[in-house]
Amino acid sequence: MKSPEPVVAVVAPPGYGKTTVLAQWTAQWIARFGPRVAWVSCERSDNDPVALWTGILDALDQIEPVGDGSRALLAASGGGVDAVPRLAESISGLRSPLVVVLDHVEEISSPECAASIAEFAFRVPPGWRLAVASRDPAPLPLSRLRIGRRLVEVGVGDLAMNDVETAALLRLAGAEVSPAEVAELVRRTEGWPAGLYLAALAIQSGAPTTGFSFAGDDRLVDEYLRSEVLARLSPDQVDFLIRTSVLDRMSGPLCDAVLGGKHSARMLADLERHNLLVVPLDRHGEWYRYHHLLRELLQAELRRGDPDLGAELHIRAADWFEANGMPEAAIDHADAAGDTERVARLVLELMQPVWAGGRVDTVRGWMELLDHRPRVPHYAAIAAHGALIFALLGRSREAERWVAVAESLPVSGTLSDGSTVAATLAYMRANLGREGPEAMRADSILALDGLSPASPFRATMLHSQALSWFVSGDLERADIDFTHAYDVATGFGVTPLAALILAEQALLATERGEPAAADALLKRALELVATGHYEAYWTSALVYAAAAHSAARRGEMREARQFVRRAAELRPLLTYALPIVSVQTLLELAQTYMALVDPAGARAVLEQAQNILRRRPDLGTLPAAIGQLRTRVDQITVAAAAGFSSLTTAELRLVRMLPTHLTFPEIAERLYVSPHTVKSQAKSVYRKLGVSSRREAVDLMAETGMSR
């Protein structure tokens, strides 16, 4: 593969040596350029864009430090297709040449991950190569890559072995085979490397060189593996293989725990040394996996045996993974064993930190999994936390769905941290603020009564309580509770919330006519956001909007524009799901746009605020403030809306997708709207930006920094 195309796709059914071919190719690359290969073997757990890209960044980090900026961007963006252009740019500074290998891509079933890989194929930095290996069709826009001469394709015809290659394989196996017998083997196997490899193993063990009659047929392969592999092992070895087939990967201690025995590490080493389809995963002889053909056979044998044994083995595996600090693997095994209560407990413990790390699709996958399992205690708490996660992501429909689930379930019981389920639902209601400030305050108090003293969510409830006083006009009580909330948030290390609280205190100081105090508070809030790389968090929208308004009041218009642009990028996150802070942010933005003499921008954000108020009318003093500002804006006669500030939230969501490879119908699918709607929104965007095409819009975004 010496051709200059930046993308290599190796696609073939099982047993065609895709990994081997890539290993040989990268070995040649290393011989020419040094160890400049980042290899990622995809697993089911990579069906989350953040997990997938974390694996890529980790592999690159082994070659050359990628820096904190790329990881912060990944965590903040969620790694979706719209983030790939920025991710690719952030790693393009690594020294060329360099190869990124994505092996076993058939494990990637997430449409978002597939789109992310496809987008990267168009963004491969100069001097780099991207190699993708898969049993199934690669998730790449093949036609467009072919037309652009960016693709090398390797398929079955390229990977099938000929007579010369087969003879070499048999010689390495120590088999004396005539040319005629080699030709017959190739004919019967159709050059299928796995079949020829199995034949070589059999010949090495003394089997005759004739009679092989399989060409990749699963039934025949299974029969062959039984007769030529398992039949030549001791009963203890066969039992070991069958029982450990529940594991995706094995180590000595893990197998000891699953089997209730000892010396598993020695058994794995012996099996690997005898070339019995046991594949080492590291150079230390610690972790292994079974060849997929062998594992499928072993799992079938396990199912045919004791029907209860598989569940017991999965339970033991879950115990080991949980005890050894690998709870996500424990979730998979607990679910396979039917232990839904354990799955629920682990998900409840993991969902907040995993979401905070940007892996939203992983959390969604767990919630969907539990939604299809029998209801268990504490499921209401999982649904409540899930509702809030989707609310923070601006996904109000998904948030509503999980709110409905949470409120349909029993609320009795106590969670593992000592918090009650009833308090957790009160925590959800207080955050959502659906019934107005008084109900929000009552729910906050109820939640604080039932949350564990060690729960970091106490800080959020103190903030909600303070917020309810603030929008009710009681600044003194709000100030006291904001101060308490900030102390608790910093004590628990909930830094994004601490930054939001400082912004609220700045708004309160402004209400009191204390601009110097407001500026000092906002300076601290901005430092927290920058230090923690929280630029894309919902909690940062008010920080940026308040900072923009403050700068405009000081006459620092350039600074105001910088902050207003950052706040505007977060507008799609501001929905009725979290109404009070969302409307506060939009109010600050509208006032800033007025100071910047941008009534079109003010109209756009006020319309967004009005849409929230239609669903959540009881927000204390905020509706009146929005109404007064809207009256001022309506008195201004302006030309047609123009510029990024005038885009609606729907148009902002579309704009983020424009730099990607996705077509309008593909964008429509991801935004859950019709292709006609996307085309109409695109025309509106072009009109407002003063451009006539998607290419011109993308170029303008790059010039103004909107694509970053």
Side-chain angles (χ1 to χ4, degrees), residues 38-166:
W39 190 294
V40 178
S41 292
C42 299
E43 302 177 354
R44 283 183 302 168
S45 58
D46 291 319
N47 277 292
D48 182 304
V50 172
L52 177 64
W53 273 96
T54 297
I56 294 172
L57 294 180
D58 287 347
L60 290 171
D61 218 21
Q62 298 297 313
I63 302 170
E64 187 178 331
V66 298
D68 293 336
S70 297
R71 296 185 185 278
L73 172 61
L74 176 60
S77 67
V81 62
D82 57 310
V84 174
R86 289 171 288 160
L87 282 168
E89 182 182 0
S90 74
I91 61 176
S92 63
L94 299 182
R95 182 170 54 87
S96 298
L98 197 150
V99 173
V100 175
V101 176
L102 300 180
D103 197 8
H104 299 294
V105 172
E106 69 273 0
E107 296 289 348
I108 301 299
S109 57
S110 159
E112 193 63 32
C113 287
S116 186
I117 293 171
E119 182 65 26
F120 186 48
F122 285 100
R123 305 280 176 175
V124 177
W128 289 36
R129 305 290 287 277
L130 170 66
V132 175
S134 177
R135 295 188 191 181
D136 304 322
L140 299 172
L142 299 178
S143 297
R144 293 174 62 187
L145 290 171
R146 289 173 189 140
I147 292 171
R149 297 185 178 180
R150 297 180 56 83
L151 178 68
V152 174
E153 296 178 84
V154 180
V156 170
D158 304 294
L159 297 172
M161 299 181 75
N162 57 30
D163 290 12
V164 174
E165 292 164 336
T166 300

